[in-house]
Amino acid sequence: MLNRRNFLTAAVGVAATAGLAACAKEDGSSSNTSSGGSKTITLGFSQVGSESGWRTANTDSVKSAAKEAGYKLQFSDAQQKQENQISAIRSFIAQKVDVIAFSPVVVTGWDAVLKEAQSAKIPVVLTDRSVESDESLFVALVGSDFTDEGRRAAKILEKVLQKAGHKGKVKIAQLEGTTGAAPAIERAKGFKEVMDAEHKDDWEIVVSQTGDFTRAGGKQVMAAFLQSNPDIDVLFAHNDDMGLGAIQAIEAAGKKPGKDILIVTVDGVKDGFIAMSEGKINAIVECNPLLGPQLMEVVKTVHEGGKVERWIKTKESDFMQDQAKDALPTRKY
Ligand code: GYE
């Protein structure tokens, strides 16, 4: 996975792979030529699925940005299954697309298919999530710093606890994202980092399990958490959708979300903001899904054999409950 330490070393790999992109043009394996001599870029994009509001917004952003850029987009939805993403990538290679972009459902298991893309001289751009692979196998990542999001969640929880006047021990339930996915691993890591450094004595994660980034998962797992640990003070959900599902479970158990159980989530989708404006979520760490325009720029540069930054991040903010109502009308997703 990308981190600040290997950021620079990786830049060397970019130059090398950007060179590959140039080769792809020279040897004619990119075959889409439109009138006027300029090439229509064909982009193969393998999406994770449609598990959350974030994902829907991300898909819309990719599709509309590709259209705007005038690219031919081959879009494939993997329904949260790695094997579907691997077959989609293989089919993009067989079709000789110009560039492949994908949002890897989990971090491991990509080397073989990425090597096939490299042998076919098709550059690969990661979007949203990273992989644990040989870094020469992809040119760039367009996506957020999930470890930092985890840290931000812990920092904003400090404010939430203070505002709620919570004193003493804090029993935390964590709803994790998809097991093995970069945002699940890294959000948990960033949160724990702050917790271990600053709240070793007062905060404790008493239960932690995956809800697979879905509302249904969040609801089901939270119901089980409440059975085993009825005295939970805080819920940290790795995304809004799981938090929204958990709210239903909390209400069904006769408790008040946002009061009896303080809730911090990640993403900042509209439904999350609505729940926050109703007082049911206490704070949201924003993770921007509108990656389409930046992705299209990277695709163009890579296709032309140019250099791109290794990790392209978007600007994100944190929101407390009292900001929800004002922010709601201008939320774009
Ligand atoms: O937080 C979650 C989605 O990878 C950042 O995936 C993305 C995450 C997002 O299902 O809602």
Side-chain angles (χ1 to χ4, degrees):
M1 252 175 284
L2 290 175
N3 57 38
R4 287 178 213 288
R5 192 169 47 79
N6 62 22
F7 198 85
L8 279 179
T9 7
V12 180
V14 176
T17 324
L20 284 181
C23 295
K25 290 202 293 182
E26 279 156 24
D27 73 11
S29 58
S30 303
S31 52
N32 311 292
T33 311
S34 65
S35 57
S38 71
K39 284 189 168 193
T40 300
I41 296 174
T42 300
L43 170 65
F45 184 87
S46 166
Q47 179 60 291
V48 170
S50 48
E51 72 283 2
S52 64
W54 190 100
R55 189 65 54 198
T56 308
N58 180 249
T59 295
D60 291 349
S61 173
V62 169
K63 285 187 176 169
S64 62
K67 200 168 170 204
E68 179 103 333
Y71 302 168
K72 191 164 169 236
L73 178 69
Q74 305 284 6
F75 183 91
S76 173
D77 178 335
Q79 297 174 333
Q80 285 186 286
K81 292 201 175 70
Q82 181 170 37
E83 66 261 33
N84 292 347
Q85 289 202 295
I86 292 175
S87 353
I89 295 169
R90 291 214 163 108
S91 127
F92 297 150
I93 297 170
Q95 291 170 59
K96 297 189 166 65
V97 300
D98 296 303
V99 180
I100 292 172
F102 81 114
S103 177
V105 59
V106 290
V107 290
T108 54
W110 301 105
D111 282 31
V113 74
L114 293 183
K115 276 183 192 144
E116 289 167 31
Q118 193 171 60
S119 308
K121 300 186 168 61
I122 302 176
V124 173
V125 180
L126 301 181
T127 171
D128 160 32
R129 300 181 181 179
S130 192
V131 294
E132 276 172 10
S133 275
D134 171 351
E135 297 213 338
S136 69
L137 296 175
F138 60 94
V139 287
L141 164 67
V142 181
S144 303
D145 184 338
F146 302 133
T147 309
D148 201 49
E149 288 172 353
R151 289 186 199 110
R152 283 159 52 201
K155 292 313 279 180
I156 208 156
L157 176 58
E158 292 173 354
K159 285 196 202 161
V160 166
L161 289 164
Q162 198 187 23
K163 213 156 176 246
H166 187 97
K167 298 258 157 10
K169 299 261 183 233
V170 183
K171 290 192 173 161
I172 303 170
Q174 177 171 242
L175 276 169
E176 302 161 24
T178 302
T179 304
I185 299 168
E186 295 167 20
R187 285 173 186 163
K189 182 174 153 227
F191 187 89
K192 192 168 180 302
E193 194 182 292
V194 173
M195 191 173 102
D196 288 351
E198 295 168 36
H199 300 283
K200 227 179 166 42
D201 301 328
D202 50 338
W203 293 13
E204 189 194 349
I205 296 182
V206 290
V207 268
S208 184
Q209 215 179 293
T210 181
D212 212 11
F213 278 132
T214 66
R215 252 178 232 213
K219 184 177 176 185
Q220 195 193 326
V221 176
M222 189 69 199
F225 282 174
L226 290 166
Q227 289 277 325
S228 58
N229 294 70
D231 53 351
I232 290 164
D233 301 304
V234 166
L235 168 66
F236 168 40
H238 287 184
N239 78 343
D240 291 341
D241 279 85
M242 290 190 296
L244 293 165
I247 286 171
Q248 294 175 27
I250 294 168
E251 286 174 338
K255 292 188 186 240
K256 280 206 166 73
K259 299 223 159 49
D260 299 331
I261 297 183
L262 304 169
I263 303 180
V264 174
T265 63
V266 187
D267 274 357
V269 296
K270 219 164 227 153
D271 285 353
F273 265 82
I274 291 171
M276 190 155 68
S277 68
E278 293 167 351
K280 297 181 180 183
I281 291 180
N282 301 80
I284 296 182
V285 170
E286 185 182 41
C287 176
N288 190 350
L290 307 181
L291 305 175
Q294 281 169 302
L295 173 63
M296 299 314 147
E297 268 179 44
V298 171
V299 165
K300 182 168 186 285
T301 310
V302 162
H303 181 63
E304 288 168 351
K307 268 196 181 186
V308 290
E309 252 181 77
R310 187 71 182 154
W311 188 359
I312 296 116
K313 299 183 198 176
T314 36
K315 280 214 174 107
E316 292 162 348
S317 318
D318 301 327
F319 295 88
M320 291 284 285
Q321 215 170 60
D322 49 12
Q323 297 164 284
K325 280 209 174 82
D326 286 347
L328 195 50
T330 57
R331 295 300 296 165
K332 291 201 179 67
Y333 49 91

